[in-house]
Amino acid sequence: MDYTDAQRVEGIFFNEKDPNSQPKDVEMVSVEECSESVNARYDMDPQKKNLALIINNEKFDESTEMSKRQGSDRDASAIKKALESLHFKVIDRRNLSVKAMTQIFTDISTMDHTKHNCFICVLLTHGEDDNQVYGTDRKVNLNELVQMLLPDRCPGLIGKPKLFFIQACRGTKLDRGAVMHDADAFVRGKYQNVTSHKVPLWADVLLAYSTVPGFYAWRNSTNGSWFIQSLAHILEKDGDQLELQRLLLLVNRNVAYEYESNSSHSSMNKMKQVPSIVSMLTKELHFYK
């Protein structure tokens, strides 16, 4: 659930050999000797579209014992506007069961992505620890959804950035914060003469969570959530000016320093939050307007 009130690495590739073999038998390829056939930036062709999916789960079946997520529509509207400003075609869906969520990920996995530079999923829902997120009827492990868009099941998105922004609780802990005194104002890969290469399944994926594992994610019932509102504002303001990692650094800083809960319940009052970014991206990502 989410609470409603409120430097390049040098190295070599080598084939493992029998320990008794002679050193001259070890075959090595130096990364440093390779050419620049793999670019340092993802290809974001302005002539192509980017694709985004927003799943806004606001109402839940009684059997889940999950409350209505008031303010979630405000989040969905703000992030849709920000993504459209960055040339994303947005698929907008509300109140999906786990079956319906699985189906739309299946549909996207089988799409022709030839004219897509990038894919983003924004998931607004309740959640629990162990990466569990809720459809309207029950919970599902987020990895089950993400894996449907990895190269073995969605070859159309291979080598393209796949970004997931998750507004959901990841447990029930509360972050009381700590007083900070005297604070300041606040690989590239190279391959020679290679026309194709194998990539890890989870390469080019980024998971941006609204909070760290085990903790609440805060959402105001009128104004929306801290994380999504910050993300939408920064994408709309600086989305075409800064590389993605810098944009997300600004989001983290904004949520961490500019927000604090204000609740009539003393146990919920003056609480803090910081998003958690898990990146398997292999290149820089620059959006355009």
Side-chain angles (χ1 to χ4, degrees), residues 119-154:
F119 173 76
I120 284 181
C121 173
V122 180
L123 179 55
L124 314 173
T125 190
H126 284 302
E128 295 180 356
D129 56 4
D130 296 327
N131 232 19
Q132 301 292 317
V133 292
Y134 274 86
T136 55
D137 56 341
R138 60 184 178 88
K139 57 188 176 182
V140 63
N141 192 290
L142 176 64
N143 288 350
E144 292 184 25
L145 301 177
V146 176
Q147 287 171 356
M148 298 177 71
L149 300 183
L150 300 186
D152 57 339
R153 300 174 69 176
C154 182

PDB file of all heavy atoms in Angstrom, residues 119-154:
ATOM      1  N   PHE A 119      10.832   2.292 -24.199  1.00  0.00           N
ATOM      2  CA  PHE A 119       9.573   1.937 -23.544  1.00  0.00           C
ATOM      3  C   PHE A 119       9.603   2.334 -22.078  1.00  0.00           C
ATOM      4  O   PHE A 119      10.596   2.113 -21.381  1.00  0.00           O
ATOM      5  CB  PHE A 119       9.300   0.432 -23.649  1.00  0.00           C
ATOM      6  CG  PHE A 119       8.104  -0.005 -22.844  1.00  0.00           C
ATOM      7  CD1 PHE A 119       6.824   0.253 -23.296  1.00  0.00           C
ATOM      8  CD2 PHE A 119       8.266  -0.635 -21.610  1.00  0.00           C
ATOM      9  CE1 PHE A 119       5.709  -0.121 -22.541  1.00  0.00           C
ATOM     10  CE2 PHE A 119       7.166  -1.018 -20.857  1.00  0.00           C
ATOM     11  CZ  PHE A 119       5.878  -0.760 -21.322  1.00  0.00           C
ATOM     12  N   ILE A 120       8.528   2.930 -21.631  1.00  0.00           N
ATOM     13  CA  ILE A 120       8.363   3.282 -20.215  1.00  0.00           C
ATOM     14  C   ILE A 120       7.054   2.701 -19.707  1.00  0.00           C
ATOM     15  O   ILE A 120       6.022   2.773 -20.378  1.00  0.00           O
ATOM     16  CB  ILE A 120       8.360   4.809 -20.005  1.00  0.00           C
ATOM     17  CG1 ILE A 120       9.782   5.370 -20.098  1.00  0.00           C
ATOM     18  CG2 ILE A 120       7.750   5.186 -18.652  1.00  0.00           C
ATOM     19  CD1 ILE A 120       9.880   6.874 -19.879  1.00  0.00           C
ATOM     20  N   CYS A 121       7.100   2.128 -18.500  1.00  0.00           N
ATOM     21  CA  CYS A 121       5.884   1.734 -17.795  1.00  0.00           C
ATOM     22  C   CYS A 121       5.819   2.494 -16.481  1.00  0.00           C
ATOM     23  O   CYS A 121       6.787   2.504 -15.714  1.00  0.00           O
ATOM     24  CB  CYS A 121       5.869   0.230 -17.529  1.00  0.00           C
ATOM     25  SG  CYS A 121       4.485  -0.310 -16.475  1.00  0.00           S
ATOM     26  N   VAL A 122       4.701   3.136 -16.235  1.00  0.00           N
ATOM     27  CA  VAL A 122       4.444   3.783 -14.956  1.00  0.00           C
ATOM     28  C   VAL A 122       3.324   2.998 -14.280  1.00  0.00           C
ATOM     29  O   VAL A 122       2.216   2.894 -14.813  1.00  0.00           O
ATOM     30  CB  VAL A 122       4.017   5.253 -15.129  1.00  0.00           C
ATOM     31  CG1 VAL A 122       3.764   5.901 -13.774  1.00  0.00           C
ATOM     32  CG2 VAL A 122       5.083   6.027 -15.903  1.00  0.00           C
ATOM     33  N   LEU A 123       3.628   2.428 -13.124  1.00  0.00           N
ATOM     34  CA  LEU A 123       2.652   1.619 -12.403  1.00  0.00           C
ATOM     35  C   LEU A 123       2.278   2.304 -11.098  1.00  0.00           C
ATOM     36  O   LEU A 123       3.117   2.516 -10.223  1.00  0.00           O
ATOM     37  CB  LEU A 123       3.228   0.224 -12.132  1.00  0.00           C
ATOM     38  CG  LEU A 123       2.350  -0.755 -11.360  1.00  0.00           C
ATOM     39  CD1 LEU A 123       0.990  -0.935 -12.040  1.00  0.00           C
ATOM     40  CD2 LEU A 123       3.054  -2.099 -11.207  1.00  0.00           C
ATOM     41  N   LEU A 124       1.018   2.664 -10.976  1.00  0.00           N
ATOM     42  CA  LEU A 124       0.495   3.340  -9.788  1.00  0.00           C
ATOM     43  C   LEU A 124      -0.446   2.375  -9.081  1.00  0.00           C
ATOM     44  O   LEU A 124      -1.539   2.077  -9.580  1.00  0.00           O
ATOM     45  CB  LEU A 124      -0.268   4.607 -10.202  1.00  0.00           C
ATOM     46  CG  LEU A 124       0.413   5.506 -11.239  1.00  0.00           C
ATOM     47  CD1 LEU A 124      -0.532   6.623 -11.690  1.00  0.00           C
ATOM     48  CD2 LEU A 124       1.704   6.095 -10.671  1.00  0.00           C
ATOM     49  N   THR A 125      -0.030   1.881  -7.921  1.00  0.00           N
ATOM     50  CA  THR A 125      -0.841   0.859  -7.263  1.00  0.00           C
ATOM     51  C   THR A 125      -0.409   0.666  -5.821  1.00  0.00           C
ATOM     52  O   THR A 125       0.481   1.364  -5.327  1.00  0.00           O
ATOM     53  CB  THR A 125      -0.740  -0.474  -8.044  1.00  0.00           C
ATOM     54  OG1 THR A 125      -1.710  -1.398  -7.526  1.00  0.00           O
ATOM     55  CG2 THR A 125       0.656  -1.076  -7.946  1.00  0.00           C
ATOM     56  N   HIS A 126      -1.052  -0.236  -5.136  1.00  0.00           N
ATOM     57  CA  HIS A 126      -0.588  -0.674  -3.822  1.00  0.00           C
ATOM     58  C   HIS A 126       0.520  -1.697  -4.009  1.00  0.00           C
ATOM     59  O   HIS A 126       0.618  -2.353  -5.059  1.00  0.00           O
ATOM     60  CB  HIS A 126      -1.728  -1.317  -3.027  1.00  0.00           C
ATOM     61  CG  HIS A 126      -2.705  -0.330  -2.461  1.00  0.00           C
ATOM     62  ND1 HIS A 126      -2.332   0.680  -1.612  1.00  0.00           N
ATOM     63  CD2 HIS A 126      -4.065  -0.229  -2.604  1.00  0.00           C
ATOM     64  CE1 HIS A 126      -3.399   1.383  -1.251  1.00  0.00           C
ATOM     65  NE2 HIS A 126      -4.469   0.853  -1.845  1.00  0.00           N
ATOM     66  N   GLY A 127       1.337  -1.862  -2.974  1.00  0.00           N
ATOM     67  CA  GLY A 127       2.395  -2.851  -3.033  1.00  0.00           C
ATOM     68  C   GLY A 127       2.800  -3.316  -1.654  1.00  0.00           C
ATOM     69  O   GLY A 127       2.386  -2.744  -0.637  1.00  0.00           O
ATOM     70  N   GLU A 128       3.588  -4.361  -1.632  1.00  0.00           N
ATOM     71  CA  GLU A 128       4.108  -4.913  -0.386  1.00  0.00           C
ATOM     72  C   GLU A 128       5.585  -5.236  -0.571  1.00  0.00           C
ATOM     73  O   GLU A 128       6.157  -4.974  -1.635  1.00  0.00           O
ATOM     74  CB  GLU A 128       3.316  -6.167   0.019  1.00  0.00           C
ATOM     75  CG  GLU A 128       1.857  -5.885   0.344  1.00  0.00           C
ATOM     76  CD  GLU A 128       1.094  -7.140   0.750  1.00  0.00           C
ATOM     77  OE1 GLU A 128       1.682  -8.240   0.698  1.00  0.00           O
ATOM     78  OE2 GLU A 128      -0.095  -7.006   1.110  1.00  0.00           O
ATOM     79  N   ASP A 129       6.193  -5.818   0.455  1.00  0.00           N
ATOM     80  CA  ASP A 129       7.598  -6.186   0.338  1.00  0.00           C
ATOM     81  C   ASP A 129       7.755  -7.352  -0.643  1.00  0.00           C
ATOM     82  O   ASP A 129       6.774  -7.883  -1.155  1.00  0.00           O
ATOM     83  CB  ASP A 129       8.201  -6.525   1.709  1.00  0.00           C
ATOM     84  CG  ASP A 129       7.443  -7.623   2.434  1.00  0.00           C
ATOM     85  OD1 ASP A 129       6.494  -8.188   1.851  1.00  0.00           O
ATOM     86  OD2 ASP A 129       7.804  -7.918   3.583  1.00  0.00           O
ATOM     87  N   ASP A 130       8.997  -7.759  -0.894  1.00  0.00           N
ATOM     88  CA  ASP A 130       9.319  -8.833  -1.844  1.00  0.00           C
ATOM     89  C   ASP A 130       8.846  -8.523  -3.257  1.00  0.00           C
ATOM     90  O   ASP A 130       8.512  -9.425  -4.037  1.00  0.00           O
ATOM     91  CB  ASP A 130       8.720 -10.177  -1.380  1.00  0.00           C
ATOM     92  CG  ASP A 130       9.329 -10.647  -0.063  1.00  0.00           C
ATOM     93  OD1 ASP A 130      10.530 -10.370   0.154  1.00  0.00           O
ATOM     94  OD2 ASP A 130       8.607 -11.264   0.741  1.00  0.00           O
ATOM     95  N   ASN A 131       8.784  -7.223  -3.601  1.00  0.00           N
ATOM     96  CA  ASN A 131       8.465  -6.789  -4.961  1.00  0.00           C
ATOM     97  C   ASN A 131       7.050  -7.157  -5.413  1.00  0.00           C
ATOM     98  O   ASN A 131       6.798  -7.377  -6.605  1.00  0.00           O
ATOM     99  CB  ASN A 131       9.491  -7.357  -5.958  1.00  0.00           C
ATOM    100  CG  ASN A 131      10.104  -6.291  -6.839  1.00  0.00           C
ATOM    101  OD1 ASN A 131      10.064  -5.103  -6.516  1.00  0.00           O
ATOM    102  ND2 ASN A 131      10.695  -6.713  -7.945  1.00  0.00           N
ATOM    103  N   GLN A 132       6.132  -7.230  -4.458  1.00  0.00           N
ATOM    104  CA  GLN A 132       4.748  -7.530  -4.780  1.00  0.00           C
ATOM    105  C   GLN A 132       3.977  -6.254  -5.096  1.00  0.00           C
ATOM    106  O   GLN A 132       4.052  -5.273  -4.355  1.00  0.00           O
ATOM    107  CB  GLN A 132       4.066  -8.251  -3.607  1.00  0.00           C
ATOM    108  CG  GLN A 132       4.714  -9.562  -3.199  1.00  0.00           C
ATOM    109  CD  GLN A 132       4.564 -10.638  -4.249  1.00  0.00           C
ATOM    110  OE1 GLN A 132       3.497 -10.811  -4.831  1.00  0.00           O
ATOM    111  NE2 GLN A 132       5.634 -11.387  -4.480  1.00  0.00           N
ATOM    112  N   VAL A 133       3.241  -6.262  -6.209  1.00  0.00           N
ATOM    113  CA  VAL A 133       2.376  -5.141  -6.568  1.00  0.00           C
ATOM    114  C   VAL A 133       0.968  -5.677  -6.807  1.00  0.00           C
ATOM    115  O   VAL A 133       0.778  -6.851  -7.128  1.00  0.00           O
ATOM    116  CB  VAL A 133       2.891  -4.407  -7.821  1.00  0.00           C
ATOM    117  CG1 VAL A 133       4.206  -3.696  -7.527  1.00  0.00           C
ATOM    118  CG2 VAL A 133       3.062  -5.365  -9.008  1.00  0.00           C
ATOM    119  N   TYR A 134      -0.006  -4.798  -6.672  1.00  0.00           N
ATOM    120  CA  TYR A 134      -1.400  -5.222  -6.744  1.00  0.00           C
ATOM    121  C   TYR A 134      -2.076  -4.888  -8.062  1.00  0.00           C
ATOM    122  O   TYR A 134      -1.969  -3.768  -8.574  1.00  0.00           O
ATOM    123  CB  TYR A 134      -2.213  -4.577  -5.625  1.00  0.00           C
ATOM    124  CG  TYR A 134      -2.173  -5.339  -4.317  1.00  0.00           C
ATOM    125  CD1 TYR A 134      -1.142  -5.128  -3.409  1.00  0.00           C
ATOM    126  CD2 TYR A 134      -3.149  -6.274  -4.002  1.00  0.00           C
ATOM    127  CE1 TYR A 134      -1.085  -5.825  -2.203  1.00  0.00           C
ATOM    128  CE2 TYR A 134      -3.116  -6.977  -2.808  1.00  0.00           C
ATOM    129  CZ  TYR A 134      -2.078  -6.759  -1.918  1.00  0.00           C
ATOM    130  OH  TYR A 134      -2.036  -7.464  -0.736  1.00  0.00           O
ATOM    131  N   GLY A 135      -2.793  -5.891  -8.603  1.00  0.00           N
ATOM    132  CA  GLY A 135      -3.855  -5.624  -9.536  1.00  0.00           C
ATOM    133  C   GLY A 135      -5.077  -5.329  -8.694  1.00  0.00           C
ATOM    134  O   GLY A 135      -5.021  -5.335  -7.459  1.00  0.00           O
ATOM    135  N   THR A 136      -6.195  -5.103  -9.306  1.00  0.00           N
ATOM    136  CA  THR A 136      -7.404  -4.795  -8.526  1.00  0.00           C
ATOM    137  C   THR A 136      -7.897  -5.989  -7.718  1.00  0.00           C
ATOM    138  O   THR A 136      -8.638  -5.817  -6.752  1.00  0.00           O
ATOM    139  CB  THR A 136      -8.535  -4.334  -9.457  1.00  0.00           C
ATOM    140  OG1 THR A 136      -8.763  -5.344 -10.468  1.00  0.00           O
ATOM    141  CG2 THR A 136      -8.168  -3.021 -10.135  1.00  0.00           C
ATOM    142  N   ASP A 137      -7.471  -7.201  -8.095  1.00  0.00           N
ATOM    143  CA  ASP A 137      -8.013  -8.394  -7.462  1.00  0.00           C
ATOM    144  C   ASP A 137      -7.029  -9.156  -6.581  1.00  0.00           C
ATOM    145  O   ASP A 137      -7.414  -9.885  -5.678  1.00  0.00           O
ATOM    146  CB  ASP A 137      -8.552  -9.350  -8.525  1.00  0.00           C
ATOM    147  CG  ASP A 137      -7.512  -9.723  -9.580  1.00  0.00           C
ATOM    148  OD1 ASP A 137      -6.507  -8.991  -9.714  1.00  0.00           O
ATOM    149  OD2 ASP A 137      -7.706 -10.739 -10.286  1.00  0.00           O
ATOM    150  N   ARG A 138      -5.747  -9.002  -6.838  1.00  0.00           N
ATOM    151  CA  ARG A 138      -4.748  -9.730  -6.066  1.00  0.00           C
ATOM    152  C   ARG A 138      -3.374  -9.153  -6.381  1.00  0.00           C
ATOM    153  O   ARG A 138      -3.252  -8.229  -7.200  1.00  0.00           O
ATOM    154  CB  ARG A 138      -4.777 -11.230  -6.383  1.00  0.00           C
ATOM    155  CG  ARG A 138      -4.494 -11.585  -7.846  1.00  0.00           C
ATOM    156  CD  ARG A 138      -4.633 -13.076  -8.091  1.00  0.00           C
ATOM    157  NE  ARG A 138      -4.424 -13.437  -9.487  1.00  0.00           N
ATOM    158  CZ  ARG A 138      -3.242 -13.719 -10.023  1.00  0.00           C
ATOM    159  NH1 ARG A 138      -2.136 -13.697  -9.276  1.00  0.00           N
ATOM    160  NH2 ARG A 138      -3.131 -14.044 -11.305  1.00  0.00           N
ATOM    161  N   LYS A 139      -2.347  -9.712  -5.738  1.00  0.00           N
ATOM    162  CA  LYS A 139      -0.999  -9.200  -5.978  1.00  0.00           C
ATOM    163  C   LYS A 139      -0.217 -10.143  -6.891  1.00  0.00           C
ATOM    164  O   LYS A 139      -0.543 -11.315  -7.042  1.00  0.00           O
ATOM    165  CB  LYS A 139      -0.270  -9.002  -4.649  1.00  0.00           C
ATOM    166  CG  LYS A 139      -0.160 -10.239  -3.775  1.00  0.00           C
ATOM    167  CD  LYS A 139       0.395  -9.877  -2.402  1.00  0.00           C
ATOM    168  CE  LYS A 139       0.405 -11.098  -1.476  1.00  0.00           C
ATOM    169  NZ  LYS A 139       0.900 -10.739  -0.121  1.00  0.00           N
ATOM    170  N   VAL A 140       0.842  -9.573  -7.480  1.00  0.00           N
ATOM    171  CA  VAL A 140       1.713 -10.315  -8.392  1.00  0.00           C
ATOM    172  C   VAL A 140       3.125  -9.779  -8.200  1.00  0.00           C
ATOM    173  O   VAL A 140       3.317  -8.614  -7.841  1.00  0.00           O
ATOM    174  CB  VAL A 140       1.250 -10.136  -9.865  1.00  0.00           C
ATOM    175  CG1 VAL A 140       1.340  -8.676 -10.297  1.00  0.00           C
ATOM    176  CG2 VAL A 140       2.055 -11.024 -10.813  1.00  0.00           C
ATOM    177  N   ASN A 141       4.123 -10.638  -8.425  1.00  0.00           N
ATOM    178  CA  ASN A 141       5.504 -10.176  -8.335  1.00  0.00           C
ATOM    179  C   ASN A 141       5.830  -9.320  -9.554  1.00  0.00           C
ATOM    180  O   ASN A 141       5.591  -9.727 -10.688  1.00  0.00           O
ATOM    181  CB  ASN A 141       6.462 -11.372  -8.249  1.00  0.00           C
ATOM    182  CG  ASN A 141       7.869 -10.948  -7.858  1.00  0.00           C
ATOM    183  OD1 ASN A 141       8.574 -10.319  -8.633  1.00  0.00           O
ATOM    184  ND2 ASN A 141       8.273 -11.300  -6.650  1.00  0.00           N
ATOM    185  N   LEU A 142       6.363  -8.143  -9.305  1.00  0.00           N
ATOM    186  CA  LEU A 142       6.671  -7.211 -10.383  1.00  0.00           C
ATOM    187  C   LEU A 142       7.570  -7.841 -11.439  1.00  0.00           C
ATOM    188  O   LEU A 142       7.411  -7.572 -12.639  1.00  0.00           O
ATOM    189  CB  LEU A 142       7.337  -5.956  -9.812  1.00  0.00           C
ATOM    190  CG  LEU A 142       7.800  -4.910 -10.820  1.00  0.00           C
ATOM    191  CD1 LEU A 142       6.623  -4.323 -11.588  1.00  0.00           C
ATOM    192  CD2 LEU A 142       8.590  -3.807 -10.122  1.00  0.00           C
ATOM    193  N   ASN A 143       8.515  -8.685 -11.011  1.00  0.00           N
ATOM    194  CA  ASN A 143       9.439  -9.305 -11.967  1.00  0.00           C
ATOM    195  C   ASN A 143       8.715 -10.125 -13.021  1.00  0.00           C
ATOM    196  O   ASN A 143       9.188 -10.247 -14.156  1.00  0.00           O
ATOM    197  CB  ASN A 143      10.462 -10.175 -11.240  1.00  0.00           C
ATOM    198  CG  ASN A 143      11.492  -9.351 -10.486  1.00  0.00           C
ATOM    199  OD1 ASN A 143      11.566  -8.139 -10.647  1.00  0.00           O
ATOM    200  ND2 ASN A 143      12.282 -10.012  -9.662  1.00  0.00           N
ATOM    201  N   GLU A 144       7.577 -10.717 -12.656  1.00  0.00           N
ATOM    202  CA  GLU A 144       6.818 -11.512 -13.621  1.00  0.00           C
ATOM    203  C   GLU A 144       6.345 -10.655 -14.788  1.00  0.00           C
ATOM    204  O   GLU A 144       6.243 -11.125 -15.920  1.00  0.00           O
ATOM    205  CB  GLU A 144       5.617 -12.177 -12.931  1.00  0.00           C
ATOM    206  CG  GLU A 144       5.996 -13.256 -11.928  1.00  0.00           C
ATOM    207  CD  GLU A 144       4.780 -13.948 -11.348  1.00  0.00           C
ATOM    208  OE1 GLU A 144       3.711 -13.958 -12.018  1.00  0.00           O
ATOM    209  OE2 GLU A 144       4.875 -14.483 -10.221  1.00  0.00           O
ATOM    210  N   LEU A 145       6.035  -9.397 -14.501  1.00  0.00           N
ATOM    211  CA  LEU A 145       5.598  -8.477 -15.549  1.00  0.00           C
ATOM    212  C   LEU A 145       6.791  -7.964 -16.357  1.00  0.00           C
ATOM    213  O   LEU A 145       6.766  -7.966 -17.591  1.00  0.00           O
ATOM    214  CB  LEU A 145       4.821  -7.314 -14.928  1.00  0.00           C
ATOM    215  CG  LEU A 145       3.573  -7.688 -14.128  1.00  0.00           C
ATOM    216  CD1 LEU A 145       2.949  -6.451 -13.506  1.00  0.00           C
ATOM    217  CD2 LEU A 145       2.554  -8.417 -15.004  1.00  0.00           C
ATOM    218  N   VAL A 146       7.830  -7.529 -15.649  1.00  0.00           N
ATOM    219  CA  VAL A 146       9.012  -6.984 -16.321  1.00  0.00           C
ATOM    220  C   VAL A 146       9.636  -8.011 -17.262  1.00  0.00           C
ATOM    221  O   VAL A 146      10.032  -7.694 -18.396  1.00  0.00           O
ATOM    222  CB  VAL A 146      10.055  -6.504 -15.290  1.00  0.00           C
ATOM    223  CG1 VAL A 146      11.324  -6.022 -15.985  1.00  0.00           C
ATOM    224  CG2 VAL A 146       9.475  -5.372 -14.423  1.00  0.00           C
ATOM    225  N   GLN A 147       9.711  -9.263 -16.813  1.00  0.00           N
ATOM    226  CA  GLN A 147      10.358 -10.313 -17.604  1.00  0.00           C
ATOM    227  C   GLN A 147       9.678 -10.539 -18.947  1.00  0.00           C
ATOM    228  O   GLN A 147      10.293 -11.038 -19.889  1.00  0.00           O
ATOM    229  CB  GLN A 147      10.396 -11.607 -16.807  1.00  0.00           C
ATOM    230  CG  GLN A 147      11.422 -11.578 -15.677  1.00  0.00           C
ATOM    231  CD  GLN A 147      11.315 -12.775 -14.745  1.00  0.00           C
ATOM    232  OE1 GLN A 147      10.434 -13.614 -14.885  1.00  0.00           O
ATOM    233  NE2 GLN A 147      12.217 -12.845 -13.785  1.00  0.00           N
ATOM    234  N   MET A 148       8.417 -10.144 -19.056  1.00  0.00           N
ATOM    235  CA  MET A 148       7.702 -10.312 -20.317  1.00  0.00           C
ATOM    236  C   MET A 148       8.234  -9.395 -21.410  1.00  0.00           C
ATOM    237  O   MET A 148       7.963  -9.620 -22.598  1.00  0.00           O
ATOM    238  CB  MET A 148       6.205 -10.062 -20.102  1.00  0.00           C
ATOM    239  CG  MET A 148       5.560 -11.038 -19.129  1.00  0.00           C
ATOM    240  SD  MET A 148       3.826 -10.684 -18.824  1.00  0.00           S
ATOM    241  CE  MET A 148       3.139 -11.163 -20.404  1.00  0.00           C
ATOM    242  N   LEU A 149       9.001  -8.369 -21.027  1.00  0.00           N
ATOM    243  CA  LEU A 149       9.532  -7.418 -22.000  1.00  0.00           C
ATOM    244  C   LEU A 149      11.036  -7.553 -22.195  1.00  0.00           C
ATOM    245  O   LEU A 149      11.666  -6.717 -22.846  1.00  0.00           O
ATOM    246  CB  LEU A 149       9.176  -5.992 -21.584  1.00  0.00           C
ATOM    247  CG  LEU A 149       7.675  -5.709 -21.473  1.00  0.00           C
ATOM    248  CD1 LEU A 149       7.431  -4.259 -21.118  1.00  0.00           C
ATOM    249  CD2 LEU A 149       6.952  -6.070 -22.768  1.00  0.00           C
ATOM    250  N   LEU A 150      11.620  -8.609 -21.613  1.00  0.00           N
ATOM    251  CA  LEU A 150      13.047  -8.865 -21.806  1.00  0.00           C
ATOM    252  C   LEU A 150      13.270  -9.531 -23.166  1.00  0.00           C
ATOM    253  O   LEU A 150      12.338 -10.060 -23.775  1.00  0.00           O
ATOM    254  CB  LEU A 150      13.577  -9.737 -20.665  1.00  0.00           C
ATOM    255  CG  LEU A 150      13.443  -9.133 -19.257  1.00  0.00           C
ATOM    256  CD1 LEU A 150      14.126 -10.027 -18.230  1.00  0.00           C
ATOM    257  CD2 LEU A 150      14.002  -7.714 -19.188  1.00  0.00           C
ATOM    258  N   PRO A 151      14.519  -9.510 -23.683  1.00  0.00           N
ATOM    259  CA  PRO A 151      14.772  -9.932 -25.068  1.00  0.00           C
ATOM    260  C   PRO A 151      14.307 -11.328 -25.446  1.00  0.00           C
ATOM    261  O   PRO A 151      13.933 -11.559 -26.602  1.00  0.00           O
ATOM    262  CB  PRO A 151      16.300  -9.818 -25.187  1.00  0.00           C
ATOM    263  CG  PRO A 151      16.666  -8.759 -24.220  1.00  0.00           C
ATOM    264  CD  PRO A 151      15.736  -8.942 -23.054  1.00  0.00           C
ATOM    265  N   ASP A 152      14.330 -12.278 -24.507  1.00  0.00           N
ATOM    266  CA  ASP A 152      13.923 -13.634 -24.865  1.00  0.00           C
ATOM    267  C   ASP A 152      12.430 -13.737 -25.149  1.00  0.00           C
ATOM    268  O   ASP A 152      11.988 -14.638 -25.864  1.00  0.00           O
ATOM    269  CB  ASP A 152      14.337 -14.634 -23.776  1.00  0.00           C
ATOM    270  CG  ASP A 152      13.788 -14.295 -22.407  1.00  0.00           C
ATOM    271  OD1 ASP A 152      13.417 -13.117 -22.176  1.00  0.00           O
ATOM    272  OD2 ASP A 152      13.730 -15.204 -21.558  1.00  0.00           O
ATOM    273  N   ARG A 153      11.647 -12.796 -24.622  1.00  0.00           N
ATOM    274  CA  ARG A 153      10.198 -12.813 -24.848  1.00  0.00           C
ATOM    275  C   ARG A 153       9.718 -11.617 -25.659  1.00  0.00           C
ATOM    276  O   ARG A 153       8.578 -11.618 -26.147  1.00  0.00           O
ATOM    277  CB  ARG A 153       9.469 -12.887 -23.507  1.00  0.00           C
ATOM    278  CG  ARG A 153       9.838 -14.151 -22.723  1.00  0.00           C
ATOM    279  CD  ARG A 153       9.245 -14.181 -21.345  1.00  0.00           C
ATOM    280  NE  ARG A 153       7.801 -14.334 -21.346  1.00  0.00           N
ATOM    281  CZ  ARG A 153       7.073 -14.463 -20.238  1.00  0.00           C
ATOM    282  NH1 ARG A 153       7.666 -14.458 -19.057  1.00  0.00           N
ATOM    283  NH2 ARG A 153       5.761 -14.581 -20.311  1.00  0.00           N
ATOM    284  N   CYS A 154      10.548 -10.590 -25.754  1.00  0.00           N
ATOM    285  CA  CYS A 154      10.194  -9.397 -26.519  1.00  0.00           C
ATOM    286  C   CYS A 154      11.413  -8.942 -27.321  1.00  0.00           C
ATOM    287  O   CYS A 154      12.042  -7.931 -26.971  1.00  0.00           O
ATOM    288  CB  CYS A 154       9.710  -8.286 -25.589  1.00  0.00           C
ATOM    289  SG  CYS A 154       9.194  -6.777 -26.453  1.00  0.00           S
TER     290      CYS A 154
END
